[in-house]
Amino acid sequence: VLTGTLSAKLKMHARISSQLAFRTQVLFDTDRLLQKAKSSKEMLNITCTQLIRLLNRDIVAYIAEKGMLLQGQVFSQKKEEVEQQFLIPEEQKIARWVYENNQRAGAGTNHFKNAKCLYLAIRIGDNVYGVIGIPANKDALDSVEYSILLSVVNECALAMENLCNAIEKEKNAILAKNEQLRADLLRAISHDLRTPLCSISGNADMLLNNGI
């Protein structure tokens, strides 16, 4: 009995250690891939793919663009045709509510409890870059899975925030460069005009003086 109990405990600890190692590796890979991504859509694709690996669930994702939440997309762990039950108008309405109110909603929350998914905002502070939906299966997310989910979503939000800051910085640099070119052009034109005008003014003075 003692041997069997110890063996079962060792197997359980080995399984837990293996799961932790796998999750740690996926989180590391997620961070590395997000740093290499060149667009928000690519970052969203990476995030959803990694969440499928971690949670073994389909993922629903919406990305925001120009202050609007675009059409949702389902990332499926299965190769066959993806079911569109998560993109019905009622579910899209909840996703838009999450985007507009910067709060989680859907299954397991106090808002829209009967939704098919749990919806989380991809956000940094007041900036919301999209919405992630986790289908509510028979087995609810445990505390560890939910913590990992938040970690991945936060990593995605941080990567999108950094991308937006980099784009804004590049735009400001271009504007500053254009302003500098404009100033240089005006100085050049002013100099080119000043030289003949000075000559004309001097000759006019001489003519006036000679006429007197």
Side-chain angles (χ1 to χ4, degrees), residues 98-118:
V98 171
Y99 172 71
E100 293 169 357
N101 293 274
N102 196 1
Q103 297 183 45
R104 68 174 191 164
T109 71
N110 295 325
H111 304 287
F112 308 102
K113 296 179 180 181
N114 296 324
K116 297 180 181 294
C117 299
L118 164 66

Side-chain angles (χ1 to χ4, degrees), residues 176-192:
K177 185 176 181 180
N178 290 340
E179 186 63 26
Q180 183 63 42
L181 290 173
R182 176 176 169 276
D184 292 342
L185 179 61
L186 289 176
R187 280 195 293 270
I189 293 174
S190 177
H191 178 270
D192 291 343

Side-chain angles (χ1 to χ4, degrees), residues 19 27 66-67 72 74 78 92 94 101 104 143 151 156 174 180 199:
Q19 289 176 346
L27 289 173
K66 297 180 180 179
V74 178
K78 301 176 183 179
Q92 294 181 14
I94 299 171
N101 293 274
R104 68 174 191 164
S143 59
S151 296
C156 178
I174 293 175
Q180 183 63 42
S199 176

Side-chain angles (χ1 to χ4, degrees), residues 138-198:
K138 293 182 180 179
D139 299 327
L141 293 174
D142 59 35
S143 59
V144 175
E145 289 177 324
Y146 187 71
S147 177
I148 291 174
L149 169 62
L150 291 181
S151 296
V152 174
V153 172
N154 288 337
E155 283 290 331
C156 178
L158 181 60
M160 290 182 176
E161 175 91 350
N162 291 336
L163 177 63
C164 288
N165 290 339
I167 293 175
E168 189 66 24
K169 184 177 180 181
E170 184 178 356
K171 287 181 179 179
N172 291 335
I174 293 175
L175 288 175
K177 185 176 181 180
N178 290 340
E179 186 63 26
Q180 183 63 42
L181 290 173
R182 176 176 169 276
D184 292 342
L185 179 61
L186 289 176
R187 280 195 293 270
I189 293 174
S190 177
H191 178 270
D192 291 343
L193 288 175
R194 190 181 300 115
T195 301
L197 286 176
C198 289

